[in-house]
Structure formats: structure tokens, C-alpha cells
Coordinates of all heavy atoms in Angstrom, one line a residue:
P1 N 6.6 3.6 -10.1 CA 6.5 2.6 -9.1 C 6.2 3.2 -7.7 O 6.7 4.2 -7.4 CB 7.8 1.8 -9.2 CG 8.4 2.1 -10.5 CD 7.9 3.5 -10.8
V2 N 5.5 2.4 -6.9 CA 5.3 2.9 -5.5 C 6.0 2.0 -4.5 O 6.2 0.8 -4.7 CB 3.7 2.8 -5.3 CG1 3.1 1.5 -5.4 CG2 3.4 3.5 -4.0
L3 N 6.4 2.6 -3.5 CA 7.1 2.0 -2.4 C 6.5 2.4 -1.1 O 6.5 3.6 -0.8 CB 8.6 2.4 -2.4 CG 9.6 1.9 -1.3 CD1 9.6 0.4 -1.3 CD2 10.9 2.4 -1.5
V4 N 5.7 1.5 -0.4 CA 5.0 1.8 0.8 C 5.3 0.9 1.9 O 5.9 -0.2 1.7 CB 3.5 1.8 0.5 CG1 3.1 2.8 -0.7 CG2 3.1 0.4 0.1
T5 N 4.9 1.3 3.1 CA 5.1 0.5 4.3 C 3.9 -0.5 4.3 O 2.8 -0.2 3.9 CB 5.1 1.3 5.6 OG1 3.9 2.0 5.7 CG2 6.3 2.2 5.6
R6 N 4.2 -1.7 4.8 CA 3.2 -2.7 5.0 C 2.1 -2.2 5.9 O 0.9 -2.7 5.8 CB 3.8 -4.0 5.5 CG 4.6 -4.7 4.6 CD 5.2 -6.0 5.2 NE 5.9 -6.8 4.1 CZ 7.1 -6.6 3.7 NH1 7.8 -5.6 4.2 NH2 7.6 -7.3 2.7
E7 N 2.4 -1.3 6.8 CA 1.4 -0.9 7.8 C 0.5 0.2 7.3 O -0.4 0.6 8.0 CB 2.2 -0.4 9.1 CG 3.0 -1.5 9.8 CD 4.3 -1.8 9.1 OE1 4.8 -1.1 8.2 OE2 4.9 -2.8 9.5
S8 N 0.8 0.8 6.1 CA 0.0 1.9 5.6 C -1.3 1.4 5.0 O -1.4 0.2 4.6 CB 0.7 2.7 4.6 OG 1.0 1.9 3.4
G9 N -2.3 2.2 4.9 CA -3.6 1.8 4.3 C -3.5 1.5 2.9 O -4.2 0.6 2.4
I10 N -2.7 2.2 2.1 CA -2.5 1.8 0.7 C -1.9 0.4 0.5 O -2.1 -0.1 -0.6 CB -1.6 2.9 0.0 CG1 -1.8 2.8 -1.5 CG2 -0.2 2.8 0.4 CD1 -1.9 4.1 -2.2
S11 N -1.2 -0.1 1.5 CA -0.6 -1.5 1.3 C -1.6 -2.5 0.9 O -1.3 -3.5 0.3 CB 0.2 -1.9 2.5 OG -0.7 -2.1 3.6
R12 N -2.9 -2.3 1.2 CA -4.0 -3.3 0.9 C -4.1 -3.4 -0.7 O -4.6 -4.4 -1.2 CB -5.3 -3.0 1.5 CG -6.0 -1.8 0.9 CD -7.4 -1.6 1.4 NE -7.3 -1.4 2.8 CZ -8.3 -1.9 3.6 NH1 -9.3 -2.5 3.2 NH2 -8.1 -1.8 4.9
F13 N -3.6 -2.4 -1.4 CA -3.7 -2.4 -2.9 C -2.4 -2.9 -3.5 O -2.4 -3.2 -4.7 CB -4.0 -1.1 -3.5 CG -5.3 -0.5 -2.9 CD1 -5.3 0.5 -2.0 CD2 -6.5 -1.0 -3.3 CE1 -6.4 1.1 -1.5 CE2 -7.6 -0.4 -2.9 CZ -7.6 0.6 -2.0
I14 N -1.4 -3.1 -2.7 CA 0.0 -3.4 -3.3 C 0.3 -4.9 -3.1 O 0.2 -5.4 -2.0 CB 1.1 -2.5 -2.6 CG1 0.7 -1.0 -2.7 CG2 2.5 -2.8 -3.2 CD1 0.6 -0.5 -4.1
R15 N 0.7 -5.5 -4.2 CA 1.2 -6.8 -4.2 C 2.7 -6.7 -4.4 O 3.1 -6.3 -5.5 CB 0.5 -7.7 -5.3 CG -1.0 -7.9 -5.0 CD -1.7 -8.6 -6.1 NE -1.4 -8.1 -7.5 CZ -2.0 -7.1 -8.0 NH1 -2.9 -6.4 -7.4 NH2 -1.7 -6.7 -9.3
D16 N 3.4 -7.1 -3.4 CA 4.9 -6.9 -3.5 C 5.5 -7.5 -4.7 O 5.3 -8.7 -5.1 CB 5.5 -7.5 -2.2 CG 6.9 -7.0 -2.0 OD1 7.2 -5.9 -2.3 OD2 7.8 -7.8 -1.5
E17 N 6.2 -6.7 -5.5 CA 7.0 -7.0 -6.7 C 6.1 -7.2 -7.9 O 6.5 -7.6 -8.9 CB 7.9 -8.2 -6.4 CG 8.8 -8.1 -5.2 CD 10.2 -8.3 -5.5 OE1 10.6 -8.7 -6.7 OE2 11.0 -8.1 -4.6
E18 N 4.7 -7.0 -7.7 CA 3.8 -7.1 -8.9 C 3.4 -5.6 -9.3 O 3.3 -5.4 -10.5 CB 2.6 -7.9 -8.5 CG 3.0 -9.4 -8.4 CD 1.8 -10.2 -8.0 OE1 0.7 -9.9 -8.4 OE2 1.9 -11.2 -7.3
N19 N 2.9 -4.9 -8.3 CA 2.5 -3.5 -8.6 C 3.1 -2.5 -7.7 O 2.7 -1.3 -7.7 CB 1.0 -3.4 -8.7 CG 0.4 -3.6 -7.3 OD1 1.0 -4.0 -6.3 ND2 -0.9 -3.4 -7.2
G20 N 4.1 -2.9 -6.9 CA 4.8 -2.0 -6.0 C 5.7 -2.7 -5.1 O 5.8 -3.9 -5.3
L21 N 6.3 -2.1 -4.2 CA 7.2 -2.7 -3.3 C 6.8 -2.3 -1.9 O 6.4 -1.2 -1.6 CB 8.7 -2.2 -3.5 CG 9.3 -2.6 -4.8 CD1 10.7 -2.0 -5.0 CD2 9.4 -4.1 -5.1
L22 N 6.9 -3.3 -1.0 CA 6.5 -3.1 0.4 C 7.7 -3.2 1.3 O 8.7 -4.0 1.1 CB 5.5 -4.2 0.8 CG 4.2 -4.2 0.1 CD1 3.4 -5.4 0.4 CD2 3.4 -2.9 0.5
V23 N 7.8 -2.4 2.3 CA 8.8 -2.4 3.4 C 8.1 -2.3 4.7 O 7.0 -1.8 4.8 CB 9.9 -1.4 3.3 CG1 10.7 -1.6 2.0 CG2 9.3 0.0 3.3
S24 N 8.7 -2.8 5.8 CA 8.2 -2.6 7.1 C 8.5 -1.2 7.6 O 9.6 -0.7 7.4 CB 8.8 -3.7 8.0 OG 8.3 -4.9 7.7
Y25 N 7.5 -0.7 8.4 CA 7.7 0.7 9.0 C 9.0 0.6 9.8 O 9.2 -0.3 10.7 CB 6.5 1.0 9.8 CG 6.6 2.4 10.4 CD1 6.4 3.5 9.7 CD2 6.9 2.5 11.8 CE1 6.6 4.8 10.3 CE2 7.1 3.7 12.4 CZ 6.9 4.8 11.7 OH 7.0 6.1 12.3
G26 N 9.8 1.6 9.7 CA 11.0 1.8 10.5 C 12.2 1.0 10.1 O 13.3 1.2 10.7
D27 N 12.0 0.2 9.0 CA 13.2 -0.6 8.5 C 14.0 0.2 7.5 O 13.7 0.0 6.3 CB 12.7 -1.9 8.0 CG 13.8 -2.9 7.7 OD1 15.0 -2.4 7.6 OD2 13.5 -4.1 7.5
A28 N 14.8 1.1 8.0 CA 15.6 2.0 7.0 C 16.5 1.2 6.1 O 16.6 1.6 4.9 CB 16.4 3.0 7.9
A29 N 17.1 0.1 6.5 CA 18.0 -0.7 5.7 C 17.2 -1.3 4.5 O 17.6 -1.2 3.3 CB 18.6 -1.8 6.5
A30 N 16.0 -1.8 4.8 CA 15.1 -2.4 3.7 C 14.6 -1.3 2.8 O 14.6 -1.5 1.6 CB 13.9 -3.1 4.3
L31 N 14.3 -0.1 3.3 CA 13.9 1.0 2.5 C 15.1 1.4 1.5 O 14.8 1.5 0.3 CB 13.5 2.2 3.3 CG 13.1 3.4 2.6 CD1 11.9 3.2 1.7 CD2 12.8 4.5 3.6
A32 N 16.3 1.5 2.1 CA 17.4 1.8 1.2 C 17.7 0.8 0.1 O 17.9 1.1 -1.0 CB 18.7 2.0 2.1
T33 N 17.5 -0.5 0.5 CA 17.8 -1.6 -0.4 C 16.7 -1.5 -1.6 O 17.0 -1.7 -2.7 CB 17.6 -2.9 0.3 OG1 18.7 -3.0 1.3 CG2 17.8 -4.1 -0.7
R34 N 15.4 -1.2 -1.2 CA 14.4 -1.2 -2.2 C 14.6 0.0 -3.2 O 14.3 -0.1 -4.3 CB 13.0 -1.2 -1.5 CG 12.6 -2.5 -0.8 CD 12.4 -3.6 -1.9 NE 12.1 -4.9 -1.2 CZ 10.9 -5.5 -1.5 NH1 10.1 -5.0 -2.4 NH2 10.7 -6.6 -1.0
I35 N 15.0 1.1 -2.6 CA 15.2 2.3 -3.4 C 16.3 2.1 -4.4 O 16.2 2.4 -5.6 CB 15.5 3.6 -2.5 CG1 14.2 4.0 -1.8 CG2 16.0 4.7 -3.4 CD1 14.5 5.0 -0.7
E36 N 17.4 1.5 -3.9 CA 18.5 1.2 -4.8 C 18.1 0.2 -5.9 O 18.5 0.3 -7.1 CB 19.7 0.6 -4.0 CG 20.9 0.1 -4.8 CD 21.4 1.2 -5.7 OE1 21.5 2.4 -5.4 OE2 21.8 0.9 -6.9
R37 N 17.3 -0.8 -5.5 CA 16.8 -1.8 -6.5 C 15.9 -1.1 -7.6 O 16.1 -1.4 -8.8 CB 16.0 -2.9 -5.8 CG 15.6 -4.0 -6.8 CD 15.3 -5.2 -6.0 NE 14.8 -6.2 -7.0 CZ 13.7 -6.9 -6.8 NH1 13.1 -6.9 -5.7 NH2 13.3 -7.8 -7.8
L38 N 15.0 -0.2 -7.1 CA 14.2 0.5 -8.1 C 15.2 1.4 -9.1 O 14.9 1.4 -10.3 CB 13.3 1.5 -7.5 CG 12.0 0.9 -6.9 CD1 11.2 1.9 -6.2 CD2 11.2 0.3 -8.1
H39 N 16.1 1.9 -8.5 CA 17.0 2.8 -9.3 C 17.8 2.0 -10.3 O 18.0 2.4 -11.4 CB 18.0 3.5 -8.4 CG 19.1 4.2 -9.1 ND1 18.8 5.4 -9.7 CD2 20.4 4.1 -9.3 CE1 19.9 5.9 -10.3 NE2 20.9 5.1 -10.0
S40 N 18.2 0.8 -10.0 CA 19.2 0.0 -10.8 C 18.5 -1.1 -11.7 O 19.1 -1.6 -12.6 CB 20.2 -0.7 -9.9 OG 19.6 -1.6 -9.1
D41 N 17.2 -1.4 -11.5 CA 16.5 -2.4 -12.2 C 15.4 -1.9 -13.1 O 14.2 -1.9 -12.6 CB 16.0 -3.4 -11.1 CG 15.5 -4.7 -11.7 OD1 15.2 -4.8 -12.9 OD2 15.4 -5.7 -10.9
A42 N 15.7 -1.6 -14.3 CA 14.7 -1.1 -15.2 C 13.6 -2.0 -15.5 O 12.4 -1.6 -15.6 CB 15.4 -0.6 -16.6
P43 N 13.9 -3.3 -15.7 CA 12.8 -4.3 -16.0 C 11.8 -4.3 -14.8 O 10.5 -4.4 -15.0 CB 13.4 -5.6 -16.2 CG 14.8 -5.3 -16.7 CD 15.2 -4.0 -15.9
L44 N 12.3 -4.2 -13.6 CA 11.4 -4.2 -12.4 C 10.5 -3.0 -12.4 O 9.4 -3.1 -12.2 CB 12.2 -4.3 -11.0 CG 11.4 -4.1 -9.8 CD1 10.5 -5.3 -9.6 CD2 12.3 -4.0 -8.6
R45 N 11.1 -1.8 -12.7 CA 10.3 -0.6 -12.9 C 9.2 -0.8 -13.8 O 8.1 -0.3 -13.6 CB 11.2 0.6 -13.2 CG 12.1 1.0 -12.1 CD 12.8 2.4 -12.3 NE 13.5 2.5 -13.5 CZ 14.7 2.2 -13.8 NH1 15.5 1.7 -12.8 NH2 15.3 2.4 -14.9
C46 N 9.5 -1.4 -15.0 CA 8.5 -1.6 -16.0 C 7.4 -2.5 -15.5 O 6.2 -2.3 -15.7 CB 9.1 -2.2 -17.3 SG 10.1 -1.0 -18.2
T47 N 7.8 -3.6 -14.8 CA 6.8 -4.5 -14.3 C 5.9 -3.9 -13.3 O 4.7 -4.0 -13.3 CB 7.5 -5.8 -13.7 OG1 8.3 -6.5 -14.6 CG2 6.6 -6.7 -12.9
L48 N 6.5 -3.2 -12.3 CA 5.7 -2.4 -11.3 C 4.8 -1.4 -11.9 O 3.7 -1.2 -11.5 CB 6.7 -1.8 -10.3 CG 7.5 -2.8 -9.5 CD1 8.4 -2.0 -8.6 CD2 6.7 -3.8 -8.7
G49 N 5.3 -0.7 -12.9 CA 4.5 0.4 -13.6 C 3.3 -0.3 -14.3 O 2.2 0.2 -14.2
R50 N 3.5 -1.4 -15.0 CA 2.4 -2.1 -15.7 C 1.4 -2.6 -14.6 O 0.2 -2.4 -14.8 CB 3.0 -3.2 -16.5 CG 2.1 -3.8 -17.5 CD 2.7 -4.8 -18.4 NE 4.0 -5.5 -17.9 CZ 5.2 -5.2 -18.2 NH1 5.4 -4.2 -19.0 NH2 6.2 -5.9 -17.7
G51 N 1.9 -3.2 -13.6 CA 1.0 -3.7 -12.5 C 0.2 -2.6 -11.8 O -1.0 -2.7 -11.5
A52 N 0.9 -1.4 -11.6 CA 0.2 -0.3 -10.9 C -0.9 0.3 -11.9 O -2.0 0.6 -11.4 CB 1.2 0.8 -10.6
R53 N -0.6 0.3 -13.2 CA -1.6 0.8 -14.1 C -2.8 -0.1 -14.0 O -4.0 0.4 -14.1 CB -1.1 0.9 -15.5 CG -0.2 2.2 -15.7 CD 0.1 2.5 -17.1 NE 1.0 1.4 -17.6 CZ 2.3 1.3 -17.5 NH1 2.9 2.2 -16.8 NH2 3.0 0.3 -18.0
E54 N -2.7 -1.4 -14.0 CA -3.8 -2.4 -14.0 C -4.5 -2.2 -12.7 O -5.8 -2.2 -12.7 CB -3.3 -3.8 -14.1 CG -2.7 -4.1 -15.4 CD -2.0 -5.5 -15.5 OE1 -2.1 -6.3 -14.5 OE2 -1.4 -5.8 -16.5
T55 N -3.9 -2.1 -11.6 CA -4.5 -1.9 -10.3 C -5.3 -0.5 -10.3 O -6.5 -0.6 -9.9 CB -3.5 -1.8 -9.1 OG1 -2.8 -3.1 -9.1 CG2 -4.2 -1.5 -7.8
A56 N -4.8 0.5 -10.8 CA -5.4 1.8 -10.8 C -6.7 1.8 -11.7 O -7.7 2.4 -11.3 CB -4.4 2.9 -11.3
S57 N -6.6 1.1 -12.8 CA -7.7 1.0 -13.7 C -8.9 0.3 -13.1 O -10.1 0.5 -13.5 CB -7.4 0.4 -15.0 OG -7.1 -1.0 -14.8
S58 N -8.7 -0.6 -12.1 CA -9.8 -1.3 -11.4 C -10.4 -0.5 -10.2 O -11.4 -1.0 -9.7 CB -9.3 -2.6 -10.9 OG -8.5 -2.5 -9.8
L59 N -9.9 0.6 -9.9 CA -10.3 1.4 -8.7 C -11.2 2.5 -9.2 O -10.7 3.6 -9.6 CB -9.2 1.9 -7.9 CG -8.3 0.8 -7.3 CD1 -7.1 1.4 -6.6 CD2 -9.1 0.0 -6.3
T60 N -12.5 2.4 -9.2 CA -13.4 3.5 -9.5 C -13.6 4.3 -8.2 O -13.2 3.9 -7.1 CB -14.8 2.9 -9.8 OG1 -15.4 2.2 -8.7 CG2 -14.7 2.0 -11.1
W61 N -14.1 5.5 -8.3 CA -14.4 6.4 -7.1 C -15.3 5.6 -6.2 O -15.2 5.8 -5.0 CB -14.9 7.7 -7.6 CG -13.7 8.5 -8.0 CD1 -13.5 9.0 -9.3 CD2 -12.6 9.0 -7.3 NE1 -12.3 9.7 -9.4 CE2 -11.7 9.7 -8.2 CE3 -12.2 8.9 -6.0 CZ2 -10.6 10.4 -7.7 CZ3 -11.0 9.5 -5.5 CH2 -10.2 10.2 -6.4
D62 N -16.3 5.0 -6.7 CA -17.2 4.2 -5.8 C -16.5 3.2 -5.0 O -16.7 3.0 -3.8 CB -18.4 3.6 -6.6 CG -19.3 4.6 -7.1 OD1 -19.4 5.7 -6.6 OD2 -20.1 4.3 -8.1
R63 N -15.6 2.5 -5.6 CA -14.8 1.4 -5.0 C -13.8 2.0 -3.9 O -13.7 1.6 -2.8 CB -14.0 0.6 -6.0 CG -13.1 -0.4 -5.4 CD -13.8 -1.7 -5.1 NE -12.9 -2.7 -4.7 CZ -12.9 -3.3 -3.5 NH1 -13.9 -3.1 -2.7 NH2 -12.0 -4.2 -3.2
I64 N -13.2 3.1 -4.3 CA -12.3 3.8 -3.4 C -13.1 4.3 -2.1 O -12.6 4.1 -1.0 CB -11.6 5.0 -4.1 CG1 -10.6 4.4 -5.1 CG2 -10.8 5.9 -3.1 CD1 -10.0 5.4 -6.1
T65 N -14.2 4.9 -2.4 CA -15.0 5.4 -1.3 C -15.4 4.3 -0.4 O -15.3 4.4 0.9 CB -16.3 6.1 -1.8 OG1 -15.9 7.2 -2.6 CG2 -17.2 6.6 -0.7
D66 N -15.9 3.1 -0.9 CA -16.3 2.0 -0.1 C -15.1 1.5 0.8 O -15.2 1.2 2.0 CB -16.8 0.8 -1.0 CG -18.1 1.1 -1.6 OD1 -18.8 2.0 -1.1 OD2 -18.5 0.4 -2.6
L67 N -13.9 1.4 0.1 CA -12.7 0.9 0.8 C -12.3 1.9 2.0 O -11.9 1.5 3.0 CB -11.6 0.7 -0.1 CG -11.8 -0.5 -1.1 CD1 -10.7 -0.5 -2.1 CD2 -11.8 -1.8 -0.3
F68 N -12.4 3.2 1.7 CA -12.1 4.2 2.7 C -13.0 4.1 3.8 O -12.6 4.2 5.0 CB -12.2 5.6 2.0 CG -11.8 6.8 2.9 CD1 -10.6 7.0 3.3 CD2 -12.9 7.5 3.4 CE1 -10.2 8.0 4.1 CE2 -12.6 8.6 4.3 CZ -11.2 8.8 4.7
L69 N -14.3 4.0 3.6 CA -15.3 3.8 4.7 C -15.0 2.6 5.5 O -15.1 2.6 6.7 CB -16.7 3.8 4.1 CG -17.2 5.2 3.6 CD1 -18.5 5.0 2.9 CD2 -17.2 6.3 4.7
L70 N -14.7 1.5 4.9 CA -14.3 0.2 5.6 C -13.1 0.5 6.5 O -13.0 0.0 7.6 CB -14.0 -0.9 4.6 CG -15.3 -1.5 4.0 CD1 -14.9 -2.5 2.9 CD2 -16.2 -2.2 5.0
E71 N -12.1 1.2 6.0 CA -10.9 1.5 6.8 C -11.3 2.4 8.0 O -10.8 2.0 9.1 CB -9.9 2.2 5.9 CG -8.6 2.5 6.6 CD -7.8 1.2 6.9 OE1 -8.0 0.2 6.2 OE2 -7.0 1.2 7.8
I72 N -12.1 3.4 7.8 CA -12.5 4.2 8.9 C -13.3 3.4 10.0 O -13.1 3.5 11.1 CB -13.4 5.4 8.4 CG1 -12.6 6.3 7.5 CG2 -14.0 6.2 9.6 CD1 -11.4 7.0 8.1
E73 N -14.2 2.6 9.5 CA -15.0 1.7 10.4 C -14.1 0.8 11.2 O -14.3 0.5 12.4 CB -16.1 0.9 9.6 CG -17.1 1.7 9.1 CD -18.0 1.0 8.1 OE1 -17.8 -0.2 7.8 OE2 -19.0 1.6 7.6
G74 N -13.1 0.2 10.5 CA -12.1 -0.7 11.2 C -11.4 0.1 12.3 O -11.1 -0.4 13.4
M75 N -10.9 1.3 11.9 CA -10.2 2.1 13.0 C -11.1 2.4 14.2 O -10.6 2.3 15.3 CB -9.7 3.4 12.3 CG -8.6 3.2 11.3 SD -8.3 4.7 10.3 CE -7.6 5.8 11.6
L76 N -12.4 2.7 13.9 CA -13.2 3.1 15.0 C -13.5 1.8 15.9 O -13.6 1.9 17.1 CB -14.6 3.6 14.5 CG -14.5 5.0 13.9 CD1 -15.8 5.4 13.2 CD2 -14.1 6.0 14.9
E77 N -13.7 0.7 15.2 CA -13.8 -0.6 16.0 C -12.6 -0.9 16.9 O -12.7 -1.3 18.0 CB -14.1 -1.7 15.0 CG -15.5 -1.7 14.4 CD -15.7 -2.8 13.4 OE1 -14.9 -3.8 13.4 OE2 -16.6 -2.7 12.6
R78 N -11.4 -0.7 16.3 CA -10.2 -0.9 17.1 C -10.1 0.0 18.3 O -9.7 -0.4 19.3 CB -8.9 -0.9 16.2 CG -8.8 -2.1 15.3 CD -7.5 -2.1 14.6 NE -7.2 -1.0 13.7 CZ -7.6 -0.9 12.4 NH1 -8.3 -1.9 11.9 NH2 -7.4 0.2 11.7
K79 N -10.4 1.2 18.0 CA -10.4 2.3 19.1 C -11.4 1.9 20.2 O -11.0 2.0 21.3 CB -10.8 3.6 18.5 CG -10.7 4.7 19.5 CD -11.1 6.0 19.0 CE -10.9 7.1 20.0 NZ -12.1 7.9 20.2
N80 N -12.6 1.5 19.8 CA -13.6 1.2 20.8 C -13.2 -0.1 21.6 O -13.4 -0.2 22.8 CB -15.0 0.9 20.2 CG -15.6 2.2 19.7 OD1 -15.2 3.3 20.2 ND2 -16.4 2.2 18.7
R81 N -12.5 -1.0 20.9 CA -12.1 -2.3 21.5 C -10.9 -2.1 22.5 O -10.8 -2.6 23.5 CB -11.7 -3.3 20.4 CG -11.5 -4.7 21.0 CD -11.4 -5.7 19.8 NE -10.4 -5.4 18.9 CZ -10.5 -5.1 17.6 NH1 -11.7 -5.2 17.1 NH2 -9.5 -4.8 16.8
T82 N -10.0 -1.2 22.0 CA -8.7 -1.1 22.8 C -8.7 0.2 23.6 O -7.8 0.3 24.5 CB -7.5 -1.1 21.9 OG1 -7.5 0.1 21.0 CG2 -7.4 -2.4 21.0
G83 N -9.6 1.1 23.3 CA -9.5 2.4 24.0 C -8.4 3.3 23.5 O -8.1 4.3 24.2
T84 N -7.7 2.9 22.4 CA -6.6 3.8 21.9 C -6.8 4.1 20.5 O -7.6 3.5 19.8 CB -5.2 3.0 22.0 OG1 -5.3 1.8 21.2 CG2 -4.9 2.6 23.4
R85 N -6.0 5.1 20.0 CA -6.1 5.5 18.6 C -5.1 4.7 17.8 O -3.9 4.7 18.1 CB -5.8 7.0 18.6 CG -5.9 7.5 17.2 CD -5.7 9.0 17.3 NE -5.6 9.5 15.9 CZ -4.7 10.4 15.5 NH1 -3.9 10.9 16.4 NH2 -4.6 10.8 14.3
E86 N -5.6 4.0 16.8 CA -4.7 3.3 15.9 C -4.9 3.9 14.4 O -6.0 4.2 14.1 CB -5.1 1.8 15.9 CG -4.8 1.1 17.1 CD -5.2 -0.4 17.0 OE1 -5.2 -0.9 15.9 OE2 -5.3 -1.0 18.1
L87 N -3.8 4.0 13.8 CA -3.8 4.6 12.4 C -3.7 3.5 11.4 O -4.0 3.8 10.2 CB -2.7 5.6 12.3 CG -2.9 6.8 13.1 CD1 -1.7 7.7 12.9 CD2 -4.2 7.5 12.9
A88 N -3.3 2.4 11.6 CA -3.1 1.3 10.6 C -3.7 0.0 11.0 O -3.8 -0.3 12.2 CB -1.7 1.2 10.2

């Protein structure tokens, strides 16, 4: 199972509680709660693992490349619009 921040690029592939778990960046309490839940909930781990395999099987290298380029283009557009560097 995967546990990622909502603000990360990979979060676009994660459906909370279906193929992974999402937490907000900087929320240590939520992160600890999610880690404990993963540790103690075997059926959840199975559900997330199954969902993650389904998601991964739909991602070809061509699809990943297209999504990566879209992310880079979005970052450049935000930088040009705001004049700052944004990572997510």
C-alpha cells in the first residue's frame, strides 16, 4: 500500500482508501494515524494492494510520459503566472 501527501504529484493517481491513503502535507498526527491503521488493518492492506495493482496495470510508459509532461507544463505555467517556483 502507498501513503502519500495530497500535495504530491503522485496523488493524482491515488483514490483515498481505494488504492492508497492520502494525508495533508505537514499533518504528522494524520500520518501517524494512517500508518497505525495500515499496520493494524489487514483487510484494508489487501483492498489497497488490489486497487494499486489495478491502477498500475493501467499506466503504460506512454501514459506516464504524457502525465509527466502535463505536470511539467503546469508547473511552468504557474511559475510564469506567479513568478515563483511551485512544486505541486
Side-chain angles (χ1 to χ4, degrees):
V2 64
L3 177 58
V4 301
T5 61
R6 287 181 172 84
E7 297 79 11
S8 68
I10 193 141
S11 66
R12 75 176 51 217
F13 301 106
I14 304 304
R15 293 177 313 279
D16 196 37
E17 308 234 357
E18 292 180 30
N19 65 351
L21 297 176
L22 295 169
V23 295
S24 293
Y25 178 80
D27 190 343
L31 178 62
T33 298
R34 292 294 182 122
I35 290 171
E36 176 56 36
R37 186 162 174 224
L38 277 175
H39 175 74
S40 64
D41 191 340
L44 176 64
R45 290 193 306 271
C46 289
T47 297
L48 297 178
R50 193 170 29 258
R53 283 188 295 279
E54 290 172 10
T55 299
S57 70
S58 72
L59 295 173
T60 64
W61 282 111
D62 287 339
R63 176 81 174 124
I64 292 168
T65 300
D66 290 344
L67 291 169
F68 181 74
L69 291 173
L70 285 172
E71 185 69 25
I72 297 296
E73 289 170 359
M75 290 170 65
L76 291 172
E77 287 175 18
R78 287 189 299 275
K79 180 180 184 235
N80 290 335
R81 190 173 56 243
T82 64
T84 62
R85 181 174 170 225
E86 294 182 18
L87 296 177

